[in-house]
Amino acid sequence: QSVAVDGDDTIRASPLMKPGKPTAYLEKDVTTLHEIFMRGVRESGNSPCLGHRPGAGQPYQWITYNEVLTKAQHFGSGLVHEGAKTQPEQFIGIFSQNRVEWKITEQACNSFSMVVVPLYDTLGPQSITHIMTQCEIQIIVVDTNVKTKNLLAAVKGGKFAVTLIITMETPDDEAKSFAESANVRLMTFEQVEEVGKNNLKEFVPPKPEDLHTICYTSGTTGLPKGVMLTHGNVVANISGVYAVGEKTFLGMSSSDVYISYLPLAHVFERLMAAQMYFLGARVGFFQGDIKLLLDDVGELKPTIFAMVPRLINKIYDTVWAGVAQSTIKRFLLEKALKSKLAKLERGIVTKNTIWDKIVFKKLQNRLGGKCRVMVTGAAPVSLEVINFMRAALGVNFTEGYGQTESSAALSVSVPGDFFSGSVGTPVVCNMIKLVDVPEKDYYAKEGKGEVCAKGPNIFVGYYKDPDKTKETLDEDGWLHTGDVGMWLPNGSLKIIDRKKNIFKLAQGEYIAPEKIEGILTQCPAVAQVYIHGESLKASLIVIAVPDPDAMVTWCNGKGVSGGYEELCNNTDVKKLVLEDMCALGRKRGLKSFELPKKIHLSPELFSVENELLTPTFKSRRPQLLHRYKAEIDEMYKDLD
């Protein structure tokens, strides 16, 4: 799945890549996101492009590629008439959920050489103020009155300056009053379109090296960093991913349909959507409520579906919880899964077996019934869970690995490699090398080390932050990811550790908490896990959030009854869950010092909203420590 570059086995690239020449684009006239969409206009034959549902129970309504292009020209012309410059120094903020207007705003920026700076709900006031101030945003497009009023209150409080807010929702009287007192102009999205229609401008297309977006990554600590991505960066990644499976397992075309619900503020979702626009395919937006997602999926019937591990794990847990009370159902599910996994071991992915008809059809239909390409990224997912999805859905579920700084993917898993636990082959736009991490005994000559990448998809730096840029991007242009990987015998890349997320216990043993958490979350009663240890303590402790759906059923099977919160506080239940965790840990090869000695069961899910998870669902370890400090101290009282 990879070959050595210039005879150096520590640097490897896709065998599909021309020697020493990472792919920057697939077609000479498609090198920017403006040209990506123009290609889609040609490929689509003016078929539907963007779809939305006006409300629950209603069918999707669509606008065509030509209509989107016209609206983008009108909206972009309106921005110019209202003072925006057609140059990469012009930043336009977007503070909105995924919807038609989001894409029209982005396309207007792409076609008039402006830069998109997305905000998202879960950033929090401090981070939003930081972004608005650092980027000196004067014009921002907002979806709701609530967000508009929050922004106006911040402007009035002197936190940052904005001159024009463009609202997708009709401003209410309170928003108008706020705007007047803050000396900010309010216009509706339709008004800007109408102004542009009456003052039409020709497109001012960007160059590949022009900035496309500043994508702020909300890390596990500190203020978010603004990742600067050019048009060339994003086009290279779209091209590099597509080239891996264009003629084989991806095989996408203008007839495909994609469900857009992961935040467009993040580069993973924008890469997926842009791939659709490149092909002239359809993108349908969810209604904005994640609880209604499967209803939207049932109506849209997507052929392409991107997921994050949180959703995948939820589906997995729900399926097993659904058969827990029926011996016959559980027997059939286990039998069906064993049969399909046996096929998977031979490289066969199918949804045409007898087991698909009698066991898995319901789940397949729940996800629209037409999915043929499914992708996951953003965070790790266990091999057991992703292979369950491959077997149950009869779809080659591709796992991507990368980061915002690489415009999304650095590698993707390929069909047939279902049991190595790898993240696959390098994408065709970048080379990957491993670098020694001596403090953890990882050495590149032994095929292990920090994952570094170089190619036209790698970001140009952090906005107004040269020090952090130098920490991440070395003088030779290699991106240092902070992840530790190894090359497997088949040439695929496997992520085995984090360079920094480690700590020592009192006896000197190194602990990699994320590795342990990834194993312990597979306990049937558990949804989330946070492992904690300290250098002055000899043992680990664990905060676990039981799965609200599975917990009661699991406890009933152990002879313990009660409500969810009651069970979380039950001493016997804590003991049972800890025993189950440790049994699983030993089975998966964890050493005795890697097993927790005490447990606290928390009924509150870690979430983006309570700031215990990042927007890509990674644990915020400092925040988790602060939140559970009292419980941690209590557990350590009579331990060690």
Side-chain angles (χ1 to χ4, degrees), residues 283-314:
V283 174
F285 296 108
F286 81 135
Q287 292 177 71
D289 184 348
I290 201 70
K291 295 187 187 72
L292 301 176
L293 175 62
L294 290 182
D295 183 55
D296 293 334
V297 167
E299 176 64 26
L300 185 66
K301 296 179 171 50
T303 59
I304 299 172
F305 201 148
M307 290 190 181
V308 288
R310 190 185 191 188
L311 178 60
I312 297 168
N313 289 330
K314 181 70 176 173

Side-chain angles (χ1 to χ4, degrees), residues 575-616:
K575 185 180 175 185
L576 286 168
V577 175
L578 186 61
E579 286 173 354
D580 199 45
M581 278 186 169
C582 291
L584 178 67
R586 282 189 286 269
K587 185 178 174 184
R588 295 291 178 84
L590 292 182
K591 300 179 178 68
S592 61
F593 63 81
E594 293 177 303
L595 299 174
K597 297 296 187 288
K598 281 206 169 184
I599 190 170
H600 170 74
L601 295 180
S602 171
E604 180 191 14
L605 279 166
F606 310 157
S607 69
V608 180
E609 290 71 26
N610 62 22
E611 298 188 347
L612 298 179
L613 297 179
T614 72
T616 51

